[in-house]
Amino acid sequence: PYQIAWLKVPRYRWVTMKSKSTGRTIREEKATIKCLTKSRRIGGSFACQLESVLSGVGIDYGSGTDCDPMDTYVLSATERQAKDFIKECGELAEFFAESDVRFQVKIQSTQITFIHTGKRIVALPASGRAVRGVTGRLVLDEICFMPKFDEIWGAAIPISRGNMKEPRGYPVSVLSTPWAKGTEAYRVLSRGAP
């Protein structure tokens, strides 16, 4: 089903560009922005939770191969939804930890920490200020219901574009049940990121 297709989209993709100054073709690896418009209670958040847990231990969810582990930062429409996201990530990790020690975690109400890698899945408040400075995967869950979408989206886009620490940028996952067709959030979900 679509959850498997979602998980198979790689963290990074190769982009080919032509240099304006030299005219040479350049091939760069860039972070992926994934967008999913979904209906309620069909497993979209679960797929995102699974990729967050796999990312925390260093398994590339697109290929199933080992990669560098990565922190994940989650913004949800409400504090309750953010805590539920963290709780369910913790339950997934504990399930996997029964057969693989890499998945052992320390669970708190707003974050889980993977004991072997030190990577975290952290719930943040739904604001642009909370997103600024994030160095890791970003999950925007139920973005259509977040107040100040423009502020949050404006802070999220630079995360995917790269910085001194990670020139490729960090993956961004955007998912939501649709709400109000005329909104900017609906445009992002229906057409994909810029």
Side-chain angles (χ1 to χ4, degrees), residues 103-169:
F103 288 93
Q104 292 176 340
V105 292
K106 177 182 175 191
I107 302 173
Q108 298 167 308
S109 65
T110 58
Q111 80 175 31
I112 67 172
T113 305
F114 292 89
I115 293 168
H116 284 78
T117 63
K119 297 302 177 186
R120 303 168 301 148
I121 302 174
V122 181
L124 297 174
S127 73
R129 174 172 263 149
V131 174
R132 285 175 178 70
V134 162
T135 54
R137 286 183 65 246
L138 179 63
V139 175
L140 303 174
D141 188 24
E142 293 296 357
I143 196 164
C144 286
F145 299 93
M146 289 184 193
K148 300 181 182 178
F149 167 81
D150 293 340
E151 177 187 320
I152 293 168
W153 189 243
I157 287 296
I159 291 167
S160 71
R161 299 232 168 108
N163 58 33
M164 295 293 281
K165 185 175 180 180
E166 178 54 82
R168 299 176 298 177

Side-chain angles (χ1 to χ4, degrees), residues 10-17 26-32 168:
R11 281 189 198 196
Y12 296 97
R13 68 193 184 293
W14 286 99
V15 177
T16 304
M17 303 178 271
I26 302 167
R27 193 163 185 240
E28 288 186 332
E29 203 174 19
K30 292 290 183 186
T32 302
R168 299 176 298 177

